[in-house]
Each structure stands twice: as C-alpha cells, then as structure tokens.
Amino acid sequence: MSVETLYSLRRAEPAIRDLDRVVLLDQAVTDDGDAMPAGTEGTVVYVTQDAQTLIVEFAEPEGALATIPAASAARADRHAG
C-alpha cells in the first residue's frame, strides 16, 4: 500500500458508527410519532449494513427511537453549529 493511499485513508472523514453521538440536520419523527427538531442530539444504536440508514435513540422523550437517513445526521463532535 502506498504512502499516498495511507494518507488519504487517514484524512477521510470517519463514518458514523454504533454508539456515536449525532446531531440531527433535519427534523425527524420517532417511531412513536414525536417530532425531533433539527439540532437534537442522540446516540446511534444501529447502522444498516449499507450505512445509509441509522436508528438513533434520544434522551427525551425517554427511550425515543427514530429511523433516519444517514445524510440527516452528523457526528456531534464534528458538527459546527
């Protein structure tokens, strides 16, 4: 493997993984029908094999889960407001 390849892999933005903290970029609706506004933080509890869909758990309402497109969330530690 070339140095250039290793460097490009190192620079690549890490994918969202299970247990990552994320922030919603768009409004989402929980499985129970509660609206979660953009900017709400949650924890990823499942990432589909193709990494296109996430199941995110929110603290309020307690235990709320939402199934969202991965493009609708950003890692909380990378989100700049």
Side-chain angles (χ1 to χ4, degrees):
M1 188 177 292
S2 72
V3 172
E4 292 83 14
T5 302
L6 289 172
Y7 182 72
S8 67
L9 291 173
R10 184 174 179 210
R11 289 184 49 207
E13 183 71 22
I16 295 175
R17 298 177 291 201
D18 289 349
L19 303 180
D20 280 347
R21 295 283 304 159
V22 294
V23 60
L24 292 178
L25 302 176
D26 300 310
Q27 180 177 339
V29 177
T30 68
D31 296 346
D32 294 330
D34 297 310
M36 304 303 291
T40 303
E41 288 192 14
T43 302
V44 176
V45 295
Y46 184 76
V47 179
T48 58
Q49 187 172 2
D50 63 5
Q52 298 299 308
T53 306
L54 310 172
I55 298 177
V56 181
E57 182 178 25
F58 302 96
E60 294 292 328
E62 188 174 334
L65 295 172
T67 303
I68 62 169
S72 294
R75 286 182 42 180
D77 61 345
R78 301 273 189 229
H79 183 66

